[in-house]
Amino acid sequence: KRSLSDSFAEPYREKFIPGLKLLKRELLKAGAVGAGISGSGPSVFSFCTNPKTAEKLGGIMKDSFSSQKIGCQVYISKISGKGTRLI
């Protein structure tokens, strides 16, 4: 959870994602372990501990962007425990 806090790059990039601060607060309140921006954006992600919460968080993200007339796609997946490997 602590490693998801980005006080270096995210404050500069969040202006490109309308409503990000509020969205992150809503996600944390709804059970997210953490949330952030992937790379320079525009991807927003959150982590949680179970599939039911993941569905709920995905809905919150979709509703947030839809209310601002911003298109989005929600992907829910498990985190692999295998680590780095050559495919």
Side-chain angles (χ1 to χ4, degrees), residues 13-35:
R13 296 176 178 151
E14 70 185 9
K15 63 186 171 196
F16 300 111
I17 303 174
L20 181 65
K21 277 187 180 181
L22 176 61
L23 174 58
K24 284 179 65 176
R25 276 195 299 264
E26 289 180 26
L27 293 170
L28 293 171
K29 196 165 130 180
V33 173

Side-chain angles (χ1 to χ4, degrees), residues 4 9-10 14 23-25 27 38 42-43 45 49 51-52 54 56 58 63-65 67 72-73 75 84:
L4 293 175
E10 194 166 290
E14 70 185 9
L23 174 58
K24 284 179 65 176
R25 276 195 299 264
L27 293 170
S38 179
S43 297
F45 67 88
T49 58
K52 186 176 179 179
K56 182 178 177 181
D63 291 347
S64 174
F65 291 117
S67 72
C72 71
Q73 293 179 318
Y75 299 95
T84 304

Side-chain angles (χ1 to χ4, degrees), residues 1 5 12 17 28 30 32-33 36 38 45 48 50 54 60-61 63 65 68 77 80 84-85:
K1 181 176 182 174
S5 178
Y12 298 101
I17 303 174
L28 293 171
V33 173
S38 179
F45 67 88
C48 62
N50 63 70
I60 290 170
M61 286 187 195
D63 291 347
F65 291 117
Q68 299 176 76
S77 65
S80 172
T84 304
R85 62 195 181 282

